[in-house]
Amino acid sequence: MMMQAEDARYLKRKVKGGNIDVHPTEKALVVNYELEATILGELGDPMLREWKECQKIIRVKSLNENSDLASLAKDIIDKCKLIHPTKLPEVEQLLYYLQNRKETGPVSVASEKTELHEKPELPSYDGTEIDEVANINDVDDYMELLYEDVPEKVRGSALLLQLARNPDNLEELFQNETVVGALARVLREDWKKSTELATNIVYIFFCFSSFTQFHGVIVHFKIGALCMNIVEHELKKYDMWNEELQKKKKAAGSDKDRKGKEEYEKSHQKYEGLVKKQEQLLRVAYYLLLNLAEDLKVEMKMRNKSIVAFLVKTLDRDNHELLILVVSFLKKLSIFIENKTEMAELNIIEKLTKLVPCDHEDLLNITLRLLMNLSFDAELRSKMFKFGLLPKLVGLLPNENHRMYVLGILYHISMDDKSKSMFTYTDCIPMVMKMLFESGENVEMELMALCVNLASNKRVAAMICEGQGLKMLMKRAFKYRHPLLMKMIRNLSQHDGPTKNLFVDYISDLAQAVLNEEDEDFGLECLGILGNLTIPDLDYELILKEYNLIPWIKSRLEPGACEDDWVLEVIILVGTVCNDDACAKMLAEANIIQSLIELLNAKQEDDEMVCQIVYVFYQMIFHESTREVIIKDTQAPAYLIDLMHDKNSEIRKVCDNTLDMIAEFDEEWAKKIQLEKFRWHNSQWLEMVETRQVTEMGDPYMYPEEGYDPYLQDADILDRPDLFYDDMYENAYIMDGHLTPEFIDENGMYDGQPYGYGYGNPMDGGYDPYERPESHMGFIGNGPPVDEYGRPLEMDPYMMDGRQSMMMDRYGMGMEEDPYQYGYNGYDEGVY
């Protein structure tokens, strides 16, 4: 038989004391006790009995090394009825333990690990707490108070709040739809009348919002939208209070009497009281909205109602608990680019800089996490510099609580080349190196990434290598075979000057690590360091012979022999050692040049590899022993002509320099190079003339004189070479084929192609002026047969295979006729 509510007449409580212990992190005692509640009927017989284990925390903040433990223990027992007087010795012993225990709470020295909270603490609201103890059975009475005047409404909401703060009561309160509806109605109608009333009711709904199953009811009553209105109103009211207070402060400063100053002091005290109550309301309102923002649709509605602006504006407050909540909310919102952009427009970095550092560890930690999110944006990183955040962040490196986030932010900042040198004006370099050397085998990834970035700056590299710095790094790298640490050292080796010369002592170790195939990642970084050692006085020939590197290099350059990363580093090493004449000759005799040409064909879409191969040719051109091999015995010059107009500016630059050197030493190639440069330089003008509309060209008003030369209308522009050259060129020299384009026929076709090189739609027969050719065989070849004037001879159509139409490519070789293929193996759209 179920117990009826009207049968219950009396409630009997019984408290049974338990054991006492110390708080694990705070200066406090934890008292465990058991609470027994019994509901009695009319005759005094028990109708319902429940037990519950409870805890009470007694904080002793005044406890220090000089405290009188006996009197303090007696005082605790007198005030706390849960502890029996017979336990006085036990309390004294626990206090003695707390007195001698090392402090684990927040400390001023930023080097010890402290306990941090992942979520903001629950609001410790005491503004309208009353002495009366609420009873779950009197909910209807409390609800009736909500229909009275404001003081009664405040009292009723405070009693309901007591019940709502106990999670065990939420389900029962939720089942009572009348109570929830009445609370929503009172909040909607009377929130402007009383801050205490609004705070109580919002706090009640916040308690519900802590559990997802209650979110539907909160959304149904539109409590979230109402909280947004409350926040907006309170922020405007705060601005108005500040404005009035500043006026009174100004008046008090100009008033010589005490009356104005006293009035200002009273206003200031009143202002502080109002702000304290308002911040309690803002805190519970923001926390309620944060809980509701679990649903992204709800969060989007909040954003549309300017939640980001409200939160950023609240950052001007001094209340740590409120700021923790606000920054947590902003961190959640910052993962969306729209919110991040709005934060940037509201100068959030300037506001957050004031919080770094601060005395409150939780606030500092969550602020750094927000800055971590914002530091992905380059513009916001530059603002961090502008507002002096870099030295503040460096000062937080010793603090273990925040080290990971500080390193992450510093890593993002170090991604910008302009900012790397700014690290030299802080204590970052010695601190980071100290942390690196004190780490074990497993170094923090954030720390290692920061070191790798910083090492790419010349000034930073000089600081790192000072004294025994490089020696200690090399020793540590070879001890642990750490690839990332070796990558950092590789970045150090790229800087010219004294820093690079320090690596000469480690060439033997590096070469052995390269030849050791057990650890590929580590060996790859060592190979990169050897490729960076462009030292004029270094005997590269001795290195190649001592470690027998020539066969090893050749084996690595064979197609498919190893990964592209290894191939690229081997090519860089070849380019480095080719600076030495003897090494260049050894490599040429080992047929390395032909291997590089084959790689050039196979990896023509890899800009970095193409650029490094061309650089090897550039280096070899300087040596007499290899210059003739490249020019006479290989097709390298033809490949370089093909790459003269590549999309990549670096490749074009190296090609131009190499071709200039070839032209200086070989007259035949000089003419061909000059011809190709001429064709490229004038191709746009030639295309414009050739593609002019016939109707436009035939306009009688354009050329009214009858005797006007009809060249532009009827003749081929290539039949008038005198238009292209000055009088300084003799006709015999022109017709000799030295400067005349050899493959331009009378139809304006360049080897069967429209001559306007590089212009026109690729799908209509034209092609991209910067597209890298498939074959890399060069534009200059034997070509079709020509007469004594350099004009193409007609070919017998019967000499062609009747089964399949063939044409001559620009190298004089047969190729299938394809309207979409002119020696480029088709048009590769989007190739870079």
Side-chain angles (χ1 to χ4, degrees):
M1 181 178 179
M2 295 182 61
M3 183 187 72
Q4 300 297 325
E6 56 271 15
D7 295 336
R9 291 292 181 267
Y10 307 102
L11 177 64
K12 183 179 179 181
R13 299 177 62 192
K14 183 179 179 181
V15 178
K16 183 180 179 181
N19 63 320
I20 309 172
D21 205 346
V22 295
H23 196 278
T25 59
E26 299 181 20
K27 286 185 178 181
L29 299 177
V30 180
V31 181
N32 299 284
Y33 64 96
E34 187 179 90
L35 177 63
E36 178 183 342
T38 306
I39 298 177
L40 304 177
E42 289 185 351
L43 302 177
D45 52 324
M47 300 178 64
L48 181 63
R49 179 177 296 170
E50 289 187 0
W51 293 268
K52 185 178 180 181
E53 294 183 354
C54 305
Q55 282 186 343
K56 181 176 180 62
I57 299 176
I58 304 174
R59 290 178 173 83
V60 284
K61 295 182 179 180
S62 60
L63 181 64
N64 54 57
E65 57 184 6
N66 299 321
S67 298
D68 185 357
L69 300 183
S71 59
L72 182 58
K74 187 175 184 303
D75 188 37
I76 290 174
I77 291 177
D78 291 341
K79 292 182 178 180
C80 182
K81 303 302 182 183
L82 296 173
I83 305 176
H84 197 272
T86 57
K87 293 191 176 183
L88 179 61
E90 183 180 351
V91 174
E92 285 188 28
Q93 183 64 30
L94 293 174
L95 290 174
Y96 176 77
Y97 173 79
L98 286 174
Q99 187 182 44
N100 292 277
R101 187 176 67 176
K102 291 184 177 181
E103 181 62 52
T104 56
V107 291
S108 57
V109 180
S111 61
E112 296 187 20
K113 187 79 173 176
T114 60
E115 183 181 4
L116 299 174
H117 300 86
E118 284 294 323
K119 294 183 178 180
E121 295 182 6
L122 296 177
S124 55
Y125 172 58
D126 57 357
T128 59
E129 286 189 359
I130 55 178
D131 296 333
E132 186 177 353
V133 178
N135 191 331
I136 191 66
N137 297 315
D138 298 332
V139 170
D140 293 337
D141 297 337
Y142 305 152
M143 186 184 66
E144 291 179 2
L145 295 173
L146 299 178
Y147 294 91
E148 304 295 335
D149 294 333
V150 172
E152 285 75 17
K153 290 179 180 178
V154 173
R155 176 171 170 265
S157 61
L159 291 168
L160 289 172
L161 175 59
Q162 279 190 31
L163 299 175
R165 292 177 72 171
N166 185 351
D168 297 335
N169 298 327
L170 288 177
E171 187 67 34
E172 188 170 346
L173 289 173
F174 177 75
Q175 297 296 335
N176 195 330
E177 298 180 3
T178 309
V179 174
V180 179
L183 289 169
R185 176 187 59 79
V186 173
L187 180 63
R188 189 176 299 106
E189 295 176 356
D190 299 331
W191 66 267
K192 289 184 180 180
K193 296 179 181 179
S194 170
T195 303
E196 291 84 354
L197 177 62
T199 305
N200 287 341
I201 299 178
V202 173
Y203 203 144
I204 293 171
F205 282 107
F206 157 71
C207 295
F208 281 109
S209 70
S210 301
F211 301 92
T212 307
Q213 61 265 33
F214 300 131
H215 285 191
V217 176
I218 298 174
V219 173
H220 172 73
F221 287 106
K222 298 181 179 180
I223 302 301
L226 187 55
C227 284
M228 291 289 294
N229 295 335
I230 293 173
V231 169
E232 182 179 9
H233 176 79
E234 293 298 328
L235 292 177
K236 289 180 179 178
K237 195 159 61 172
Y238 177 77
D239 291 338
M240 184 181 66
W241 291 344
N242 264 327
E243 186 178 350
E244 292 179 357
L245 188 65
Q246 293 302 321
K247 288 180 180 179
K248 292 183 178 181
K249 183 178 180 180
K250 187 177 180 180
S254 60
D255 192 357
K256 297 181 181 180
D257 298 333
R258 288 187 176 180
K259 185 177 181 181
K261 294 181 180 179
E262 291 177 357
E263 184 178 352
Y264 167 72
E265 290 177 0
K266 289 181 181 179
S267 299
H268 189 268
Q269 291 178 358
K270 181 180 179 182
Y271 166 81
E272 289 182 344
L274 292 173
V275 168
K276 183 178 179 181
K277 290 183 179 181
Q278 186 188 68
E279 289 178 347
Q280 290 175 334
L281 174 57
L282 289 174
R283 191 178 178 199
V284 292
Y286 278 138
Y287 217 144
L288 169 62
L289 294 172
L290 177 60
N291 287 344
L292 294 179
E294 291 178 0
D295 188 340
L296 288 181
K297 293 181 180 179
V298 176
E299 181 178 311
M300 188 179 297
K301 292 180 180 179
M302 294 180 190
R303 184 194 176 277
N304 294 335
K305 293 196 174 202
S306 305
I307 186 63
V308 176
F310 296 160
L311 290 167
V312 174
K313 193 172 184 180
T314 313
L315 287 174
D316 296 327
R317 304 298 180 100
D318 297 325
N319 188 314
H320 286 169
E321 286 73 20
L322 176 62
L323 288 174
I324 291 173
L325 182 60
V326 169
V327 177
S328 299
F329 207 154
L330 286 170
K331 184 183 74 72
K332 183 181 187 303
L333 296 171
S334 65
I335 63 175
F336 295 99
I337 190 170
E338 299 87 354
N339 298 332
K340 184 264 299 178
T341 303
E342 187 175 354
M343 293 177 194
E345 294 172 353
L346 295 169
N347 297 321
I348 189 173
I349 299 297
E350 182 179 5
K351 296 178 181 293
L352 292 177
T353 304
K354 300 174 183 178
L355 302 178
V356 180
C358 65
D359 297 333
H360 200 289
E361 290 288 283
D362 285 330
L363 175 57
L364 179 57
N365 187 263
I366 195 65
T367 302
L368 292 172
R369 292 165 70 182
L370 172 58
L371 286 170
M372 176 74 173
N373 283 2
L374 298 177
S375 65
F376 283 90
D377 186 272
E379 182 181 350
L380 291 176
R381 289 199 299 267
S382 65
K383 288 187 177 181
M384 293 180 188
F385 267 117
K386 178 181 177 182
F387 295 113
L389 198 57
L390 181 59
K392 293 183 177 182
L393 292 170
V394 172
L396 292 172
L397 278 175
N399 192 323
E400 295 183 9
N401 289 329
H402 318 299
R403 179 178 297 172
M404 183 177 66
Y405 300 109
V406 172
L407 287 172
I409 300 170
L410 293 177
Y411 165 70
H412 286 164
I413 293 176
S414 68
M415 292 168 61
D416 304 324
D417 291 335
K418 293 181 180 179
S419 65
K420 291 174 184 175
S421 60
M422 300 300 295
F423 283 84
T424 59
Y425 298 101
T426 69
D427 297 330
C428 182
I429 308 304
M431 293 174 68
V432 165
M433 295 305 296
K434 183 175 181 294
M435 292 163 56
L436 181 62
F437 291 135
E438 290 178 352
S439 301
E441 182 177 357
N442 298 321
V443 186
E444 293 176 340
M445 187 61 67
E446 293 81 3
L447 174 61
M448 201 66 256
L450 175 61
C451 291
V452 170
N453 279 2
L454 292 178
S456 62
N457 180 265
K458 189 172 183 178
R459 292 177 60 187
V460 176
M463 293 181 64
I464 292 175
C465 295
E466 282 180 355
Q468 300 294 318
L470 180 60
K471 181 179 180 180
M472 295 173 68
L473 285 173
M474 293 293 289
K475 182 178 180 180
R476 183 179 182 84
F478 278 100
K479 178 181 179 181
Y480 295 114
R481 315 291 290 185
H482 202 297
L484 283 180
L485 185 54
M486 190 56 74
K487 183 183 287 291
M488 173 191 173
I489 300 173
R490 176 180 171 181
N491 284 351
L492 295 174
S493 68
Q494 69 185 4
H495 305 293
D496 295 327
T499 304
K500 184 170 292 189
N501 296 331
L502 296 174
F503 286 86
V504 175
D505 298 335
Y506 305 101
I507 289 179
S508 177
D509 296 329
L510 293 170
Q512 291 176 2
V514 169
L515 298 175
N516 183 8
E517 299 181 355
E518 294 180 1
D519 194 341
E520 291 189 0
D521 293 338
F522 185 79
L524 180 63
E525 301 302 333
C526 294
L527 178 60
I529 295 175
L530 290 176
N532 285 338
L533 300 185
T534 53
I535 303 173
D537 299 331
L538 188 61
D539 191 349
Y540 297 104
E541 182 183 8
L542 179 62
I543 297 172
L544 293 180
K545 289 181 178 179
E546 183 176 350
Y547 298 100
N548 196 24
L549 288 178
I550 297 293
W552 183 85
I553 290 174
K554 189 172 181 180
S555 66
R556 287 294 184 274
L557 292 179
E558 293 178 0
C562 55
E563 298 292 333
D564 287 353
D565 291 344
W566 274 89
V567 175
L568 179 60
E569 296 303 329
V570 170
I571 295 172
I572 293 174
L573 177 62
V574 171
T576 300
V577 300
C578 279
N579 189 48
D580 184 275
D581 183 69
C583 292
K585 185 177 180 180
M586 290 171 60
L587 291 170
E589 292 174 352
N591 207 21
I592 296 294
I593 298 175
Q594 187 59 37
S595 299
L596 293 175
I597 291 176
E598 293 176 3
L599 271 175
L600 197 60
N601 258 334
K603 303 293 183 181
Q604 57 182 309
E605 301 304 330
D606 190 331
D607 282 11
E608 181 66 23
M609 198 168 293
V610 170
C611 188
Q612 294 298 340
I613 293 174
V614 174
Y615 178 73
V616 173
F617 294 155
Y618 173 73
Q619 287 284 72
M620 288 188 169
I621 287 295
F622 280 96
H623 306 295
E624 185 177 355
S625 58
T626 55
R627 186 184 306 132
E628 292 297 323
V629 176
I630 291 179
I631 295 176
K632 302 295 184 183
D633 301 340
T634 70
Q635 299 171 340
Y639 280 82
L640 294 173
I641 291 177
D642 277 350
L643 295 170
M644 190 191 306
H645 311 301
D646 195 85
K647 289 180 178 180
N648 190 296
S649 60
E650 291 297 325
I651 294 177
R652 296 200 303 269
K653 182 179 177 181
V654 180
C655 278
D656 286 342
N657 294 336
T658 309
L659 290 172
D660 289 343
M661 295 292 297
I662 293 175
E664 185 177 343
F665 292 100
D666 189 279
E667 293 183 2
E668 183 179 353
W669 276 110
K671 297 174 185 178
K672 295 177 180 180
I673 293 167
Q674 186 178 12
L675 174 60
E676 178 55 31
K677 288 185 176 181
F678 163 78
R679 286 173 174 169
W680 175 261
H681 182 71
N682 294 281
S683 58
Q684 187 174 8
W685 181 78
L686 293 172
E687 178 74 11
M688 178 189 68
V689 174
E690 290 176 1
T691 58
R692 185 170 296 179
Q693 296 294 330
V694 176
T695 56
E696 179 184 353
M697 300 300 293
D699 191 347
Y701 295 100
M702 184 173 293
Y703 308 106
E705 298 182 9
E706 294 181 0
Y708 191 82
D709 190 351
Y711 155 70
L712 290 175
Q713 289 83 356
D714 304 321
D716 187 352
I717 191 171
L718 298 177
D719 289 337
R720 293 291 301 275
D722 55 296
L723 292 177
F724 303 148
Y725 307 99
D726 298 351
D727 294 338
M728 62 180 291
Y729 294 101
E730 296 181 0
N731 289 336
Y733 181 70
I734 296 172
M735 299 308 294
D736 190 34
H738 291 182
L739 291 175
T740 303
E742 295 177 348
F743 298 102
I744 308 299
D745 61 20
E746 66 269 19
N747 297 319
M749 303 294 288
Y750 172 63
D751 194 17
Q753 307 172 35
Y755 178 67
Y757 172 68
Y759 295 88
N761 187 349
M763 302 308 295
D764 296 335
Y767 42 90
D768 187 348
Y770 289 111
E771 182 179 8
R772 189 172 301 150
E774 176 76 19
S775 61
H776 281 288
M777 290 296 291
F779 289 113
I780 311 302
N782 295 326
V786 296
D787 60 15
E788 59 181 339
Y789 300 107
R791 296 179 178 176
L793 294 175
E794 294 184 1
M795 297 181 64
D796 188 351
Y798 295 101
M799 294 176 62
M800 304 181 68
D801 190 344
R803 293 171 298 172
Q804 185 177 34
S805 176
M806 298 289 292
M807 61 178 293
M808 306 299 291
D809 67 6
R810 60 175 173 273
Y811 319 115
M813 302 175 66
M815 58 180 289
E816 295 184 8
E817 184 175 9
D818 185 348
Y820 298 102
Q821 181 172 343
Y822 297 107
Y824 283 83
N825 194 21
Y827 175 73
D828 189 1
E829 185 176 3
V831 174
Y832 182 73

